[in-house]
Amino acid sequence: GAVVSQHPSWVICKSGTSVKIECRSLDFQATTMFWYRQFPKQSLMLMATSNEGSKATYEQGVEKDKFLINHASLTLSTLTVTSAHPEDSSFYICSARPGQGRETQYFGPGTRLLVL
Amino acid sequence: AQSVSQHNHHVILSEAASLELGCNYSYGGTVNLFWYVQYPGQHLQLLLKYFSGDPLVKGIKGFEAEFIKSKFSFNLRKPSVQWSDTAEYFCAVIAGGTSYGKLTFGQGTILTVHP
């Protein structure tokens, strides 16, 4: 149980285009989903927290107009990188948490984005 | 803001050697502590977690970790590593209060086990 999927697993796009990444909890309902970014040889950095049906909470320094997050249902959250540029190239990972508070987060396999 | 520090970036061991990966955090209040592992090409998986109670926590695959509150540490141990333990290991913390379950990760430690 507790499987989280991401789609696509990798994407290459031209600079200026927008890219949507999906995160799904397959066998549980996720009241909260998190989006992380991981640069090569670095740790995961939390970008934003999204709760179903409400606006996402972004971490300091993360542009909310650049990284649009939608959590329309208890099993799906999407991250859209708008007008992507080469510096947005990274590994994006989502996680999902079934309850409130400090319960374990379950991680997706990640999406590698390369912006040319 | 809380931070998590992992002492070693890359650890190289031979099979059957003992392992200890250091993790220290900076936060004075209640914390929940985690160790995650990322095998090559795979997603992050939970190894073990500490919420309360016995500070010696046992996880999957023979791993354990000890929470020492006075030292703000949560070191990961395994008495005898295997080649299949080659992976990257991340220590993570959820601080108490109003952080709403946000995980703060350490930098990660790459473990390479030679057969």
Side-chain angles (χ1 to χ4, degrees), chain A residues 34 36 38 41-44 46 49 59 91 93 97 101-109, chain B residues 9 30 32 34 36 38 43-44 46 49 51 90 94 96-97 100-103 105-107:
Chain A
F34 301 85
Y36 296 85
Q38 186 178 26
K41 298 185 179 181
Q42 294 188 30
S43 187
L44 284 78
L46 180 64
T49 303
E59 294 300 299
F91 194 51
I93 303 171
R97 188 181 69 197
R102 304 168 192 166
E103 289 84 357
T104 303
Q105 294 178 28
Y106 299 94
F107 285 82
Chain B
H9 177 64
T30 303
N32 296 139
F34 304 80
Y36 283 90
Q38 189 171 30
H43 60 281
L44 278 167
L46 181 67
K49 61 186 177 183
F51 280 12
F90 292 93
I94 293 178
Y100 300 114
K102 295 192 298 185
L103 276 168
F105 282 89
Q107 306 93 318

Side-chain angles (χ1 to χ4, degrees), chain B residues 53-73:
Chain B
D54 189 345
L56 183 61
V57 180
K58 294 192 183 299
I60 61 172
K61 304 186 180 185
F63 287 90
E64 65 178 30
E66 185 175 13
F67 170 48
I68 303 179
K69 189 175 182 179
S70 60
K71 295 185 178 180
F72 299 90
S73 70

Side-chain angles (χ1 to χ4, degrees), chain A residues 28-47:
Chain A
F28 66 98
Q29 292 186 326
T31 55
T32 305
M33 288 184 170
F34 301 85
W35 286 95
Y36 296 85
R37 186 172 178 176
Q38 186 178 26
F39 291 101
K41 298 185 179 181
Q42 294 188 30
S43 187
L44 284 78
M45 298 298 295
L46 180 64
M47 298 174 65

Side-chain angles (χ1 to χ4, degrees), chain A residues 80-106:
Chain A
T80 301
V81 183
T82 62
S83 187
H85 288 93
E87 59 265 28
D88 299 323
S89 298
S90 190
F91 194 51
Y92 294 88
I93 303 171
C94 75
S95 71
R97 188 181 69 197
Q100 297 292 331
R102 304 168 192 166
E103 289 84 357
T104 303
Q105 294 178 28
Y106 299 94

